[in-house]
Amino acid sequence: KQEVTQIPAALSVPEGENLVLNCSFTDSAIYNLQWFRQDPGKGLTSLLLIQSSQREQTSGRLNASLDKSSGRSTLYIAASQPGDSATYLCAVYPPNQAGTALIFGKGTTLSVSS
Amino acid sequence: EAGVAQSPRYKIIEKRQSVAFWCNPISGHATLYWYQQILGQGPKLLIQFQNNGVVDDSQLPKDRFSAERLKGVDSTLKIQPAKLEDSAVYLCASSLDRRWDRGKAFFGQGTRLTVV
């Protein structure tokens, strides 16, 4: 059974700092991996989708990498801002033939102070 | 392109009352998912539909939760009777198909349920 773990559970940093969020998964047979942002009590905002054939994706100050063989992904946030404060969720897509739903980690709650 | 629509956005009910949530997926999306996200946890799948058939409802508490997707489009998730531990954000998502090579999942804005 696939399990997704995110470390750390919470992180507090001063504005301007670069930071890394970690996601690990127990079964390397995934199709894609997606990072989401969630503000308190709200829905999910998609940040980056890394397809199985890719190693990384970039969008603005965000960079996500994927190493399927080791079961790891990282989300790098450069020059953090108070507006980046939110919970960041990692989700894995099961193998194509499984036909099953995304599996999520518990998230990392980020607080950026000004 | 219109996204996944959910309503209501917020709901407060007393325990033992009933509540229903509605989801309208992206047009043409055959697969629809309902997730429950308790505070401090990641979203957990409750039920997955393919058109109007159930693919996976293994984590749906069937003694109090029910869901339907009549005509393979809109879906309704119901809780009857609600318990305090049902307080959560309920997320609806849809995808073109169960095969991920046909496209990714899209999520709605969620319904925040508070049971008092």
Side-chain angles (χ1 to χ4, degrees), chain A residues 26-53:
Chain A
T26 55
D27 186 348
S28 62
I30 66 169
Y31 191 78
N32 291 336
L33 185 142
Q34 193 164 3
W35 284 91
F36 294 88
R37 169 185 171 138
Q38 186 176 35
D39 293 300
K42 300 297 179 62
L44 305 181
T45 300
S46 177
L47 296 175
L48 291 166
L49 173 71
I50 311 175
Q51 297 182 346
S52 56
S53 58

PDB file of all heavy atoms in Angstrom, chain A residues 26-53:
ATOM      1  N   THR A  26       6.472   5.311  -0.588  1.00  0.00           N
ATOM      2  CA  THR A  26       7.013   3.971  -0.348  1.00  0.00           C
ATOM      3  C   THR A  26       7.076   3.116  -1.607  1.00  0.00           C
ATOM      4  O   THR A  26       7.910   2.219  -1.697  1.00  0.00           O
ATOM      5  CB  THR A  26       6.172   3.251   0.713  1.00  0.00           C
ATOM      6  OG1 THR A  26       4.796   3.254   0.307  1.00  0.00           O
ATOM      7  CG2 THR A  26       6.307   3.941   2.071  1.00  0.00           C
ATOM      8  N   ASP A  27       6.209   3.361  -2.570  1.00  0.00           N
ATOM      9  CA  ASP A  27       6.181   2.576  -3.794  1.00  0.00           C
ATOM     10  C   ASP A  27       6.611   3.466  -4.958  1.00  0.00           C
ATOM     11  O   ASP A  27       5.941   4.448  -5.274  1.00  0.00           O
ATOM     12  CB  ASP A  27       4.766   2.036  -4.036  1.00  0.00           C
ATOM     13  CG  ASP A  27       4.687   1.088  -5.217  1.00  0.00           C
ATOM     14  OD1 ASP A  27       5.658   0.995  -6.011  1.00  0.00           O
ATOM     15  OD2 ASP A  27       3.653   0.419  -5.367  1.00  0.00           O
ATOM     16  N   SER A  28       7.736   3.120  -5.575  1.00  0.00           N
ATOM     17  CA  SER A  28       8.282   3.968  -6.639  1.00  0.00           C
ATOM     18  C   SER A  28       7.483   3.885  -7.941  1.00  0.00           C
ATOM     19  O   SER A  28       7.713   4.653  -8.860  1.00  0.00           O
ATOM     20  CB  SER A  28       9.736   3.588  -6.913  1.00  0.00           C
ATOM     21  OG  SER A  28       9.821   2.250  -7.359  1.00  0.00           O
ATOM     22  N   ALA A  29       6.535   2.952  -8.014  1.00  0.00           N
ATOM     23  CA  ALA A  29       5.728   2.791  -9.226  1.00  0.00           C
ATOM     24  C   ALA A  29       4.607   3.819  -9.261  1.00  0.00           C
ATOM     25  O   ALA A  29       3.425   3.484  -9.099  1.00  0.00           O
ATOM     26  CB  ALA A  29       5.160   1.378  -9.296  1.00  0.00           C
ATOM     27  N   ILE A  30       4.972   5.079  -9.469  1.00  0.00           N
ATOM     28  CA  ILE A  30       3.973   6.138  -9.566  1.00  0.00           C
ATOM     29  C   ILE A  30       3.920   6.654 -10.988  1.00  0.00           C
ATOM     30  O   ILE A  30       4.878   6.493 -11.756  1.00  0.00           O
ATOM     31  CB  ILE A  30       4.267   7.301  -8.590  1.00  0.00           C
ATOM     32  CG1 ILE A  30       5.567   8.019  -8.986  1.00  0.00           C
ATOM     33  CG2 ILE A  30       4.329   6.800  -7.159  1.00  0.00           C
ATOM     34  CD1 ILE A  30       5.780   9.321  -8.232  1.00  0.00           C
ATOM     35  N   TYR A  31       2.802   7.295 -11.331  1.00  0.00           N
ATOM     36  CA  TYR A  31       2.688   7.848 -12.675  1.00  0.00           C
ATOM     37  C   TYR A  31       3.177   9.290 -12.724  1.00  0.00           C
ATOM     38  O   TYR A  31       4.002   9.662 -13.537  1.00  0.00           O
ATOM     39  CB  TYR A  31       1.238   7.752 -13.169  1.00  0.00           C
ATOM     40  CG  TYR A  31       1.122   8.060 -14.642  1.00  0.00           C
ATOM     41  CD1 TYR A  31       1.483   7.114 -15.595  1.00  0.00           C
ATOM     42  CD2 TYR A  31       0.684   9.310 -15.081  1.00  0.00           C
ATOM     43  CE1 TYR A  31       1.419   7.400 -16.947  1.00  0.00           C
ATOM     44  CE2 TYR A  31       0.615   9.595 -16.424  1.00  0.00           C
ATOM     45  CZ  TYR A  31       0.981   8.643 -17.355  1.00  0.00           C
ATOM     46  OH  TYR A  31       0.925   8.926 -18.688  1.00  0.00           O
ATOM     47  N   ASN A  32       2.614  10.127 -11.856  1.00  0.00           N
ATOM     48  CA  ASN A  32       3.020  11.527 -11.724  1.00  0.00           C
ATOM     49  C   ASN A  32       3.107  11.880 -10.250  1.00  0.00           C
ATOM     50  O   ASN A  32       2.669  11.104  -9.378  1.00  0.00           O
ATOM     51  CB  ASN A  32       1.984  12.472 -12.365  1.00  0.00           C
ATOM     52  CG  ASN A  32       1.927  12.372 -13.871  1.00  0.00           C
ATOM     53  OD1 ASN A  32       2.875  11.977 -14.512  1.00  0.00           O
ATOM     54  ND2 ASN A  32       0.776  12.725 -14.432  1.00  0.00           N
ATOM     55  N   LEU A  33       3.632  13.078  -9.973  1.00  0.00           N
ATOM     56  CA  LEU A  33       3.623  13.618  -8.623  1.00  0.00           C
ATOM     57  C   LEU A  33       3.249  15.090  -8.734  1.00  0.00           C
ATOM     58  O   LEU A  33       3.719  15.793  -9.634  1.00  0.00           O
ATOM     59  CB  LEU A  33       4.992  13.464  -7.945  1.00  0.00           C
ATOM     60  CG  LEU A  33       5.063  13.890  -6.473  1.00  0.00           C
ATOM     61  CD1 LEU A  33       5.973  12.948  -5.689  1.00  0.00           C
ATOM     62  CD2 LEU A  33       5.488  15.320  -6.312  1.00  0.00           C
ATOM     63  N   GLN A  34       2.409  15.542  -7.828  1.00  0.00           N
ATOM     64  CA  GLN A  34       1.924  16.917  -7.899  1.00  0.00           C
ATOM     65  C   GLN A  34       2.054  17.582  -6.547  1.00  0.00           C
ATOM     66  O   GLN A  34       1.772  16.972  -5.508  1.00  0.00           O
ATOM     67  CB  GLN A  34       0.451  16.927  -8.356  1.00  0.00           C
ATOM     68  CG  GLN A  34      -0.084  18.281  -8.758  1.00  0.00           C
ATOM     69  CD  GLN A  34      -1.388  18.199  -9.551  1.00  0.00           C
ATOM     70  OE1 GLN A  34      -1.930  17.122  -9.752  1.00  0.00           O
ATOM     71  NE2 GLN A  34      -1.872  19.318 -10.026  1.00  0.00           N
ATOM     72  N   TRP A  35       2.476  18.843  -6.563  1.00  0.00           N
ATOM     73  CA  TRP A  35       2.526  19.667  -5.365  1.00  0.00           C
ATOM     74  C   TRP A  35       1.365  20.663  -5.398  1.00  0.00           C
ATOM     75  O   TRP A  35       1.088  21.282  -6.429  1.00  0.00           O
ATOM     76  CB  TRP A  35       3.846  20.432  -5.286  1.00  0.00           C
ATOM     77  CG  TRP A  35       5.013  19.588  -4.871  1.00  0.00           C
ATOM     78  CD1 TRP A  35       5.875  18.907  -5.687  1.00  0.00           C
ATOM     79  CD2 TRP A  35       5.460  19.345  -3.537  1.00  0.00           C
ATOM     80  NE1 TRP A  35       6.824  18.253  -4.946  1.00  0.00           N
ATOM     81  CE2 TRP A  35       6.598  18.507  -3.612  1.00  0.00           C
ATOM     82  CE3 TRP A  35       5.023  19.752  -2.283  1.00  0.00           C
ATOM     83  CZ2 TRP A  35       7.292  18.074  -2.486  1.00  0.00           C
ATOM     84  CZ3 TRP A  35       5.716  19.322  -1.151  1.00  0.00           C
ATOM     85  CH2 TRP A  35       6.835  18.495  -1.259  1.00  0.00           C
ATOM     86  N   PHE A  36       0.714  20.787  -4.231  1.00  0.00           N
ATOM     87  CA  PHE A  36      -0.400  21.702  -4.075  1.00  0.00           C
ATOM     88  C   PHE A  36      -0.122  22.669  -2.930  1.00  0.00           C
ATOM     89  O   PHE A  36       0.604  22.357  -1.994  1.00  0.00           O
ATOM     90  CB  PHE A  36      -1.698  20.942  -3.720  1.00  0.00           C
ATOM     91  CG  PHE A  36      -2.218  20.039  -4.791  1.00  0.00           C
ATOM     92  CD1 PHE A  36      -1.777  18.728  -4.881  1.00  0.00           C
ATOM     93  CD2 PHE A  36      -3.171  20.488  -5.692  1.00  0.00           C
ATOM     94  CE1 PHE A  36      -2.269  17.873  -5.854  1.00  0.00           C
ATOM     95  CE2 PHE A  36      -3.675  19.642  -6.670  1.00  0.00           C
ATOM     96  CZ  PHE A  36      -3.219  18.336  -6.752  1.00  0.00           C
ATOM     97  N   ARG A  37      -0.790  23.796  -2.991  1.00  0.00           N
ATOM     98  CA  ARG A  37      -0.807  24.751  -1.885  1.00  0.00           C
ATOM     99  C   ARG A  37      -2.237  24.816  -1.361  1.00  0.00           C
ATOM    100  O   ARG A  37      -3.203  24.776  -2.132  1.00  0.00           O
ATOM    101  CB  ARG A  37      -0.372  26.125  -2.381  1.00  0.00           C
ATOM    102  CG  ARG A  37      -0.618  27.236  -1.376  1.00  0.00           C
ATOM    103  CD  ARG A  37      -0.291  28.585  -1.925  1.00  0.00           C
ATOM    104  NE  ARG A  37      -0.749  29.601  -0.969  1.00  0.00           N
ATOM    105  CZ  ARG A  37      -0.044  30.685  -0.661  1.00  0.00           C
ATOM    106  NH1 ARG A  37       1.121  30.909  -1.254  1.00  0.00           N
ATOM    107  NH2 ARG A  37      -0.519  31.551   0.208  1.00  0.00           N
ATOM    108  N   GLN A  38      -2.360  24.941  -0.027  1.00  0.00           N
ATOM    109  CA  GLN A  38      -3.679  25.052   0.583  1.00  0.00           C
ATOM    110  C   GLN A  38      -3.653  26.119   1.662  1.00  0.00           C
ATOM    111  O   GLN A  38      -2.879  26.027   2.614  1.00  0.00           O
ATOM    112  CB  GLN A  38      -4.131  23.711   1.174  1.00  0.00           C
ATOM    113  CG  GLN A  38      -5.557  23.723   1.689  1.00  0.00           C
ATOM    114  CD  GLN A  38      -6.005  22.365   2.176  1.00  0.00           C
ATOM    115  OE1 GLN A  38      -5.224  21.601   2.736  1.00  0.00           O
ATOM    116  NE2 GLN A  38      -7.275  22.029   1.962  1.00  0.00           N
ATOM    117  N   ASP A  39      -4.503  27.124   1.530  1.00  0.00           N
ATOM    118  CA  ASP A  39      -4.686  28.116   2.570  1.00  0.00           C
ATOM    119  C   ASP A  39      -5.709  27.590   3.579  1.00  0.00           C
ATOM    120  O   ASP A  39      -6.543  26.747   3.230  1.00  0.00           O
ATOM    121  CB  ASP A  39      -5.122  29.444   1.959  1.00  0.00           C
ATOM    122  CG  ASP A  39      -4.020  30.038   1.110  1.00  0.00           C
ATOM    123  OD1 ASP A  39      -2.944  30.303   1.663  1.00  0.00           O
ATOM    124  OD2 ASP A  39      -4.207  30.202  -0.105  1.00  0.00           O
ATOM    125  N   PRO A  40      -5.662  28.067   4.825  1.00  0.00           N
ATOM    126  CA  PRO A  40      -6.504  27.496   5.886  1.00  0.00           C
ATOM    127  C   PRO A  40      -7.977  27.386   5.516  1.00  0.00           C
ATOM    128  O   PRO A  40      -8.603  28.373   5.122  1.00  0.00           O
ATOM    129  CB  PRO A  40      -6.285  28.458   7.054  1.00  0.00           C
ATOM    130  CG  PRO A  40      -4.917  29.015   6.831  1.00  0.00           C
ATOM    131  CD  PRO A  40      -4.795  29.152   5.331  1.00  0.00           C
ATOM    132  N   GLY A  41      -8.521  26.201   5.648  1.00  0.00           N
ATOM    133  CA  GLY A  41      -9.939  25.950   5.410  1.00  0.00           C
ATOM    134  C   GLY A  41     -10.367  26.031   3.966  1.00  0.00           C
ATOM    135  O   GLY A  41     -11.565  25.981   3.677  1.00  0.00           O
ATOM    136  N   LYS A  42      -9.405  26.143   3.053  1.00  0.00           N
ATOM    137  CA  LYS A  42      -9.743  26.328   1.643  1.00  0.00           C
ATOM    138  C   LYS A  42      -9.392  25.090   0.817  1.00  0.00           C
ATOM    139  O   LYS A  42      -8.934  24.073   1.329  1.00  0.00           O
ATOM    140  CB  LYS A  42      -8.983  27.550   1.105  1.00  0.00           C
ATOM    141  CG  LYS A  42      -9.304  28.844   1.831  1.00  0.00           C
ATOM    142  CD  LYS A  42     -10.742  29.237   1.674  1.00  0.00           C
ATOM    143  CE  LYS A  42     -11.086  30.514   2.419  1.00  0.00           C
ATOM    144  NZ  LYS A  42     -10.330  31.682   1.943  1.00  0.00           N
ATOM    145  N   GLY A  43      -9.630  25.210  -0.486  1.00  0.00           N
ATOM    146  CA  GLY A  43      -9.348  24.117  -1.399  1.00  0.00           C
ATOM    147  C   GLY A  43      -7.888  24.067  -1.794  1.00  0.00           C
ATOM    148  O   GLY A  43      -7.045  24.742  -1.222  1.00  0.00           O
ATOM    149  N   LEU A  44      -7.594  23.243  -2.791  1.00  0.00           N
ATOM    150  CA  LEU A  44      -6.220  23.015  -3.231  1.00  0.00           C
ATOM    151  C   LEU A  44      -5.912  23.833  -4.467  1.00  0.00           C
ATOM    152  O   LEU A  44      -6.705  23.884  -5.405  1.00  0.00           O
ATOM    153  CB  LEU A  44      -6.013  21.533  -3.556  1.00  0.00           C
ATOM    154  CG  LEU A  44      -6.367  20.535  -2.459  1.00  0.00           C
ATOM    155  CD1 LEU A  44      -6.072  19.117  -2.933  1.00  0.00           C
ATOM    156  CD2 LEU A  44      -5.612  20.836  -1.187  1.00  0.00           C
ATOM    157  N   THR A  45      -4.730  24.448  -4.459  1.00  0.00           N
ATOM    158  CA  THR A  45      -4.229  25.150  -5.631  1.00  0.00           C
ATOM    159  C   THR A  45      -3.044  24.370  -6.169  1.00  0.00           C
ATOM    160  O   THR A  45      -2.072  24.142  -5.449  1.00  0.00           O
ATOM    161  CB  THR A  45      -3.783  26.582  -5.269  1.00  0.00           C
ATOM    162  OG1 THR A  45      -4.900  27.298  -4.746  1.00  0.00           O
ATOM    163  CG2 THR A  45      -3.237  27.297  -6.489  1.00  0.00           C
ATOM    164  N   SER A  46      -3.114  23.968  -7.420  1.00  0.00           N
ATOM    165  CA  SER A  46      -2.015  23.208  -8.016  1.00  0.00           C
ATOM    166  C   SER A  46      -0.818  24.110  -8.233  1.00  0.00           C
ATOM    167  O   SER A  46      -0.935  25.218  -8.772  1.00  0.00           O
ATOM    168  CB  SER A  46      -2.464  22.615  -9.352  1.00  0.00           C
ATOM    169  OG  SER A  46      -1.383  21.946  -9.972  1.00  0.00           O
ATOM    170  N   LEU A  47       0.350  23.645  -7.808  1.00  0.00           N
ATOM    171  CA  LEU A  47       1.599  24.391  -7.999  1.00  0.00           C
ATOM    172  C   LEU A  47       2.410  23.823  -9.162  1.00  0.00           C
ATOM    173  O   LEU A  47       2.714  24.530 -10.113  1.00  0.00           O
ATOM    174  CB  LEU A  47       2.429  24.359  -6.713  1.00  0.00           C
ATOM    175  CG  LEU A  47       1.823  25.028  -5.488  1.00  0.00           C
ATOM    176  CD1 LEU A  47       2.709  24.795  -4.275  1.00  0.00           C
ATOM    177  CD2 LEU A  47       1.622  26.516  -5.731  1.00  0.00           C
ATOM    178  N   LEU A  48       2.769  22.569  -9.037  1.00  0.00           N
ATOM    179  CA  LEU A  48       3.623  21.940 -10.042  1.00  0.00           C
ATOM    180  C   LEU A  48       3.221  20.480 -10.194  1.00  0.00           C
ATOM    181  O   LEU A  48       2.971  19.803  -9.199  1.00  0.00           O
ATOM    182  CB  LEU A  48       5.098  22.021  -9.636  1.00  0.00           C
ATOM    183  CG  LEU A  48       5.738  23.411  -9.649  1.00  0.00           C
ATOM    184  CD1 LEU A  48       7.061  23.383  -8.895  1.00  0.00           C
ATOM    185  CD2 LEU A  48       5.947  23.885 -11.075  1.00  0.00           C
ATOM    186  N   LEU A  49       3.199  20.010 -11.429  1.00  0.00           N
ATOM    187  CA  LEU A  49       2.967  18.603 -11.738  1.00  0.00           C
ATOM    188  C   LEU A  49       4.221  18.078 -12.417  1.00  0.00           C
ATOM    189  O   LEU A  49       4.663  18.635 -13.431  1.00  0.00           O
ATOM    190  CB  LEU A  49       1.767  18.437 -12.661  1.00  0.00           C
ATOM    191  CG  LEU A  49       1.522  17.028 -13.206  1.00  0.00           C
ATOM    192  CD1 LEU A  49       1.019  16.112 -12.109  1.00  0.00           C
ATOM    193  CD2 LEU A  49       0.537  17.051 -14.371  1.00  0.00           C
ATOM    194  N   ILE A  50       4.815  17.029 -11.851  1.00  0.00           N
ATOM    195  CA  ILE A  50       5.992  16.405 -12.450  1.00  0.00           C
ATOM    196  C   ILE A  50       5.561  15.084 -13.057  1.00  0.00           C
ATOM    197  O   ILE A  50       5.094  14.180 -12.349  1.00  0.00           O
ATOM    198  CB  ILE A  50       7.108  16.156 -11.420  1.00  0.00           C
ATOM    199  CG1 ILE A  50       7.379  17.407 -10.597  1.00  0.00           C
ATOM    200  CG2 ILE A  50       8.385  15.698 -12.127  1.00  0.00           C
ATOM    201  CD1 ILE A  50       8.393  17.180  -9.494  1.00  0.00           C
ATOM    202  N   GLN A  51       5.688  14.971 -14.365  1.00  0.00           N
ATOM    203  CA  GLN A  51       5.304  13.727 -15.032  1.00  0.00           C
ATOM    204  C   GLN A  51       6.387  12.676 -14.812  1.00  0.00           C
ATOM    205  O   GLN A  51       7.537  12.995 -14.505  1.00  0.00           O
ATOM    206  CB  GLN A  51       5.072  13.992 -16.515  1.00  0.00           C
ATOM    207  CG  GLN A  51       3.932  14.962 -16.753  1.00  0.00           C
ATOM    208  CD  GLN A  51       3.647  15.207 -18.224  1.00  0.00           C
ATOM    209  OE1 GLN A  51       4.437  14.858 -19.076  1.00  0.00           O
ATOM    210  NE2 GLN A  51       2.510  15.805 -18.497  1.00  0.00           N
ATOM    211  N   SER A  52       6.004  11.432 -14.999  1.00  0.00           N
ATOM    212  CA  SER A  52       6.881  10.311 -14.665  1.00  0.00           C
ATOM    213  C   SER A  52       8.189  10.346 -15.450  1.00  0.00           C
ATOM    214  O   SER A  52       9.217   9.859 -14.990  1.00  0.00           O
ATOM    215  CB  SER A  52       6.166   8.986 -14.915  1.00  0.00           C
ATOM    216  OG  SER A  52       5.705   8.914 -16.241  1.00  0.00           O
ATOM    217  N   SER A  53       8.164  10.946 -16.629  1.00  0.00           N
ATOM    218  CA  SER A  53       9.363  10.979 -17.467  1.00  0.00           C
ATOM    219  C   SER A  53      10.250  12.180 -17.155  1.00  0.00           C
ATOM    220  O   SER A  53      11.340  12.315 -17.717  1.00  0.00           O
ATOM    221  CB  SER A  53       8.957  11.027 -18.936  1.00  0.00           C
ATOM    222  OG  SER A  53       8.150  12.164 -19.178  1.00  0.00           O
TER     223      SER A  53
END
